[in-house]
Amino acid sequence: MPKNKLIVLFLLGEVVAALQFGGHGATMLAAKEKHAAESIPAPDPQMIRAHVKFLASDLLEGRGPGQRGSDLAAEYIGAQFESYGLKPAGDNGTFFQNVPMVTMKTLPGTQFSLVSKSGSSDAVNLKLLDDFTVNNETQTEVADVEAPIVFVGFGIKAPEYNWDDYKGIDLHGKVALLFVNEPTSDDPKFFKGKALTYYGRWIYKFEETARQGAIATLIIHRTDLASYGWQVIHNSLGTEKSFLKLDATPKLKAASWIHFDVAKKIAAMSGMDIDKMYAQANSHDFKPIELPVTLKAHIVSELHSYMGKNVVAKLPGADARRSDEAVIYTAHYDHLGIHPDAAGDNIYNGAVDNATGCGILLELARVWSMAKPAPPRSILFAAVTGEEQGLLGSEYLGKHPPVPASKITLDLNYDALPPIGDPEEVEVSGAERTTFYPEVEAVAKQMGLAIRPDAHPEAGHYYRSDHFSLARVGVPSFSISEGLKYKRHDDAWGEAQSKDYVDHHYHQPSDEYRSEWDFTGLAHMTQFGLLLGQKAATAPAVQGWQPGDEFEAARNKTN
């Protein structure tokens, strides 16, 4: 038996033993809430706590993809699924779906310099991590770039909004410079107003510039536009990133972020002003500008191929006519792992992000496994890898689902839920885009929860978690989280807690388990997802998207 599995089985026994002393939470919740199916027990906050405590422990070393801790986490989750009596839904009769991946570690020998075409001999040399981050998406050990920089605004091509930042430019063999985010809008019919669309996300920027023929892309970081500071870029994409193994999709030799101060230098070398460039980018009449600056880059990488794992289980449906259809619950179990060269605490434990979502996923699996009888449709549970690397595990799951995407009626995702109290609100951003939304409203009312609109639509959270990968293949999908209003607190308190987390703990080693955390709210969010799953599993027909939604075409294509 592999050493990792022995460790997991030992610790699983320890966790189960500990839980035997904390089961009173289920009784408390049962007294408070009426169940749609009385045979299913109430979610137990202490069960969720125990999972979070283990998954976020130093033993699991931050659960970095391709690292030992990630394997331990996958084994633990698979062992839990098996202990609940669920059926394996992975490869070859196992709980594991293999995800072929490659880690690209950017090495210190990597160099970026800016060279003016004005004839000046003084190149501006940039410092890795402080000034820029870069990953070689072509998955080669060495890549060299020496090409002119072209400013392409936001780098967006969106026919439905009559927007094209590539008017008349051939980007082949050139470097794209662009802002993160998208054109400013208060009109909900134009880039959805203040809500960020996928066009504003960094993943789209790299995808689209590669399709346009660019060999390198420089995304300008600005904290207000990205909704997170440079330290998040530094820690998440700084020196090591995983990718799915190459296919025929166009890729960049240098997929890079640059600090805003570097963007100012590029503008100054071009005789321009960065703020005026941003204003130009917001104009419908914007046209690409080839700058009198060349990027000279030498990217040195260390490659490591490995097999990532999604952990997938199934509760078979009881209706022979509908058991091939399914509701799926998802949560990512990866985080950022260990940064061995960092001083002090170098383990990125990822307690809130996303041991909490995994704890909820496992508790959903446990309570669903006790459903008597089983629901008409099957219930799938998927703990996915590589979310922090760009939704990789869920992308692979969406392309290789356990049942056809057309047969998946709904995906309910959990990602980064703070265990700080008993919420009076729920956030389900994106649910309103599906035909399932009336049921969401009914369940929220049943549980006494107000539905809070996305507190920060400008951050584009809908496109930043694993439900998006399922939405892209047509599956009606959204995430479930608390709002900002908690019992005995006002909205301002909830907003302050959220800001403190983003400012001081998000993608930091300080995102660690805390014994004083209150898991009552997470149990309620579990119950909310359970009731939604029951409705979707028993509905007469599978769910869809509202007419005209950006994912409607993908849904129709799978049917």
Side-chain angles (χ1 to χ4, degrees), residues 274-524:
I274 194 65
D275 294 328
K276 290 181 179 178
M277 291 171 69
Y278 178 71
Q280 286 178 301
N282 275 282
S283 170
H284 244 124
D285 299 325
F286 170 81
K287 293 183 179 179
I289 305 168
E290 184 163 331
L291 305 178
V293 182
T294 292
L295 172 68
K296 188 173 183 179
H298 178 64
I299 303 104
V300 187
S301 305
E302 181 180 284
L303 281 69
H304 169 60
S305 296
Y306 68 97
M307 196 64 72
K309 293 178 181 178
N310 291 332
V311 193
V312 193
K314 180 178 183 179
L315 174 68
D319 185 344
R321 296 169 300 172
R322 290 187 283 176
S323 62
D324 62 337
E325 299 173 347
V327 175
I328 188 169
Y329 294 97
T330 52
H332 75 91
Y333 70 87
D334 67 304
H335 197 54
L336 304 181
I338 289 181
H339 289 204
D341 300 328
D345 184 0
N346 62 358
I347 299 177
Y348 290 71
N349 301 82
V352 170
D353 185 13
N354 184 35
T356 58
C358 286
I360 289 174
L361 180 73
L362 287 168
E363 182 61 355
L364 280 163
R366 185 184 73 88
V367 296
W368 263 116
S369 72
M370 290 182 270
K372 303 296 181 186
R377 292 186 175 90
S378 296
I379 311 294
L380 293 167
F381 308 91
V384 296
T385 186
E387 191 270 355
E388 303 290 7
Q389 306 297 313
L391 314 183
L392 301 183
S394 58
E395 179 184 345
Y396 191 86
L397 180 72
K399 292 177 178 178
H400 307 87
V403 301
S406 62
K407 299 286 189 179
I408 301 177
T409 183
L410 187 70
D411 170 40
L412 300 174
N413 185 63
Y414 288 88
D415 190 359
L417 293 86
I420 56 175
D422 194 357
E424 296 181 340
E425 300 174 325
V426 64
E427 279 195 18
V428 286
S429 299
E432 74 283 356
R433 302 166 62 164
T434 73
T435 58
F436 190 64
Y437 191 58
E439 300 290 4
V440 176
E441 292 179 304
V443 170
K445 183 177 181 181
Q446 175 186 338
M447 292 186 62
L449 294 166
I451 295 178
R452 186 180 187 94
D454 189 347
H456 297 283
E458 71 282 359
H461 291 297
Y462 187 83
Y463 304 92
R464 290 169 58 178
S465 195
D466 290 302
H467 62 261
F468 174 57
S469 294
L470 278 297
R472 292 183 82 172
V473 297
V475 178
S477 309
F478 56 92
S479 286
I480 295 170
S481 187
E482 309 110 316
L484 295 176
K485 180 69 173 69
Y486 292 80
K487 289 182 180 178
R488 297 178 294 280
H489 297 286
D490 59 13
D491 289 23
W493 181 87
E495 179 70 36
Q497 306 311 302
S498 176
K499 185 176 186 303
D500 177 71
Y501 175 74
V502 171
D503 291 348
H504 301 115
H505 306 294
Y506 177 58
H507 286 198
Q508 302 291 324
S510 58
D511 185 4
E512 297 180 301
Y513 169 79
R514 290 167 172 75
S515 60
E516 68 271 18
W517 274 344
D518 180 356
F519 283 81
T520 304
L522 269 61
H524 284 137

Side-chain angles (χ1 to χ4, degrees), residues 183-190 192-194:
T184 303
S185 172
D186 289 320
D187 180 358
K189 294 182 180 180
F190 181 66
K192 296 189 178 178
K194 293 182 178 180

